[in-house]
Amino acid sequence: MEQNSKEILPARYLNDHIKADTREDGRDFLSFRPVSVNVGSIKNADSSAVCRIGNTGAVCGIKAELGPPHADAPDVGIILPIVELSGLCSQRFRPGLPKEEAMCIAKIVEDILISSKAIDLTDLCIHKGKLVWILNCQIMCTNADGAVVDCCIAALMAALKNLTVQKVEYTPESNEFKTDPVERVSIPLKQMSIRTSFALLKDDLLIADPTSFEEDMATSILSLAYNEKNEIVYLHKPGGDPISDTLLKKAMSKAKSHTEQVRTLISTAQSTVEKK
Amino acid sequence: MSPDECSFRPMACELNYLSNSDGSAFLKQGETVILAGVNGPVQVKQTKSIYNKATVQAVYETKNEKRLAGDEGQLIRLCITKTCESALLTSLHPSTMIQISIEELEDNGSSLACILNSSCLALINSGLAMKYTFAAVCCMIDEESNNIILDPNTLQLKKAKAVFTLVFDSVKKELITCQSSGSFKEEELLTSIKKCREAVHHIFEFYRDIVKQYATAI
């Protein structure tokens, strides 16, 4: 019965919940869904992580390849985030060509990586102008139930924190390189940034960590990413209803405390892997 | 605050530049030049049609091939679509499409702000009903001096610690769209928003002047 009313009268379904001071999954307006992270689950990748935020899930695998750097930046490595929203993660997506939404997410992920200076790209350089590491970060969404980008970022950060690459010996004279199959070097993650989303429902009601149903009903979506120094590295609000400064400040303080929790969670997940 | 204090680069605009569009604007902010055209309401493909409101679609062209082919263009398109959609009364034209075409002729910094301003002028020119008009301001925080610079050019942007593009509505002057790059503190963001909000009324005044020039009957 409840399911029917959600599909037939979504606005009323949402209103009924707001009136009862709750949300469809029983959360408070400004509380987040449980987050879980698992590091190193894919053995074929150089580093990998799985992240879940409520029902939303994302898998990130990083493959490091050797290649020549860009001509205009010869001493830095390359990070290529690729985001895939396949048909299996939500009924909104159909299999086939890359979707506009996936391209936007890939750009947002890239922007956050650059803005937060998550990885010092010079660490990826083996020999200037000749050989650098190219990190292919493939992120796959397994279930899109709101806050997909947050989940992608968390998975990517967890994977980057765990990243090791093969040791390379490069001889500039002969332009040859040799990789060491056993010994691995870790690439340090300088700043771990975590992104949190908020949705603005009608009558200026701010809710944290919206589900996909709430995202559809929202008048506006706001997202913030914080780094370890409590600086904002990304603020994104694409259109929608105007937001007042008070709500923005409220969102900022909530995001900051949640970011701290997720960061501790990822570090804990990381340390359990190291013990093994 | 006077226009000089806000240090906006000189703005110039021509409306009705295109003859086949329902509304068009040719906007110059400093050396950044954007041409915007609006067509609508026009017929929409079945797959994109929304039964209770108009679909807003943005087309963005630039000579910067890297931006056009890459994901960045897609994000700019999203930004234009969502911002215009929030201002337009889309429910007046159900099952139709409003198409906004942007051609970036010259980019010398603050291009996203200029794109959004020109699309707003084109929307005003097209006569489509809107909830409010909007104005975009680009501002950056200098890396060394921590000064806030409004409407920066490419040269200034190279020294930026953080860059924001902020869009305000004309009624309450609240934030519609926000896009940032670089890292910054919360206070820096709030002061930037405050400063941009003070400066934004010059852009609204500029809109008013332009429309007055073309309004011959009144």
Side-chain angles (χ1 to χ4, degrees), chain A:
Chain A
M1 180 63 207
E2 202 186 33
Q3 196 59 35
N4 288 346
S5 91
K6 181 177 172 180
E7 262 143 44
I8 300 164
L9 296 163
R12 195 175 132 190
Y13 175 80
L14 186 73
N15 259 350
D16 286 348
H17 279 98
I18 293 173
K19 264 188 214 147
D21 257 337
T22 180
R23 287 159 73 175
E24 56 166 344
D25 47 9
R27 272 184 289 161
D28 289 337
F29 293 134
L30 283 170
S31 58
F32 294 83
R33 287 176 288 180
V35 183
S36 58
V37 179
N38 188 354
V39 182
S41 24
I42 302 168
K43 290 283 166 268
N44 288 327
D46 287 298
S47 171
S48 65
V50 183
C51 176
R52 283 182 75 104
I53 301 179
N55 287 330
T56 306
V59 186
C60 173
I62 302 178
K63 267 269 193 206
E65 284 177 70
L66 286 164
H70 284 310
D72 51 352
D75 59 342
V76 295
I78 301 162
I79 301 185
L80 286 173
I82 305 152
V83 177
E84 234 177 275
L85 297 172
S86 60
L88 58 87
C89 66
S90 166
Q91 60 187 18
R92 278 189 301 148
F93 309 123
R94 310 215 147 267
L97 284 167
K99 267 72 59 180
E100 284 174 15
E101 207 171 328
M103 287 170 83
C104 286
I105 295 177
K107 175 69 188 154
I108 292 172
V109 171
E110 196 186 335
D111 276 352
I112 292 179
L113 280 178
I114 295 168
S115 293
S116 64
K117 300 191 181 72
I119 279 192
D120 189 355
L121 290 178
T122 47
D123 285 350
L124 299 174
C125 180
I126 296 157
H127 194 271
K128 189 179 170 183
K130 291 286 181 210
L131 200 66
V132 293
W133 281 113
I134 301 167
L135 302 180
N136 280 313
C137 309
Q138 181 114 27
I139 307 168
M140 249 181 87
C141 182
T142 50
N143 190 353
D145 188 19
V148 176
V149 194
D150 301 3
C151 198
C152 292
I153 293 283
L156 177 65
M157 289 296 163
L160 279 176
K161 197 160 169 73
N162 201 22
L163 178 65
T164 53
V165 289
Q166 287 174 331
K167 201 172 177 188
V168 187
E169 272 171 48
Y170 180 74
T171 31
E173 290 80 23
S174 57
N175 199 10
E176 277 173 359
F177 60 85
K178 215 167 67 185
T179 52
D180 193 326
V182 188
E183 203 173 341
R184 298 183 76 88
V185 222
S186 78
I187 304 254
L189 181 67
K190 304 272 189 232
Q191 284 289 339
M192 192 195 283
S193 304
I194 300 295
R195 183 178 179 272
T196 33
S197 298
F198 294 86
L200 209 58
L201 300 177
K202 60 175 183 157
D203 302 326
D204 276 352
L205 179 71
L206 186 77
I207 56 168
D209 197 10
T211 61
S212 69
F213 169 69
E214 284 162 340
E215 272 180 359
D216 290 342
M217 300 303 290
T219 55
S220 167
I221 292 187
L222 169 81
S223 48
L224 289 154
Y226 276 89
N227 68 7
E228 286 168 26
K229 286 186 276 178
N230 269 336
E231 286 177 333
I232 306 172
V233 290
Y234 200 70
L235 170 63
H236 190 66
K237 181 184 182 302
D241 278 7
I243 187 169
S244 64
D245 281 5
T246 6
L247 282 181
L248 186 64
K249 279 180 200 155
K250 200 164 146 191
M252 285 202 292
S253 69
K254 270 281 158 195
K256 218 165 23 181
S257 57
H258 182 247
T259 306
E260 206 66 51
Q261 286 171 12
V262 176
R263 203 177 288 133
T264 341
L265 184 83
I266 293 177
S267 307
T268 321
Q270 164 75 16
S271 58
T272 52
V273 174
E274 273 165 8
K275 271 179 205 156
K276 280 178 199 167

Side-chain angles (χ1 to χ4, degrees), chain B residues 57-87:
Chain B
Q57 194 191 33
V59 183
Y60 169 67
E61 298 287 340
T62 167
K63 57 186 175 185
N64 182 343
E65 265 176 41
K66 208 166 146 194
R67 192 185 282 175
L68 188 64
D71 302 339
E72 196 181 348
Q74 209 59 257
L75 200 63
I76 292 175
R77 237 162 267 154
L78 176 89
C79 209
I80 305 168
T81 316
K82 294 279 181 182
T83 311
C84 295
E85 204 177 355
S86 79

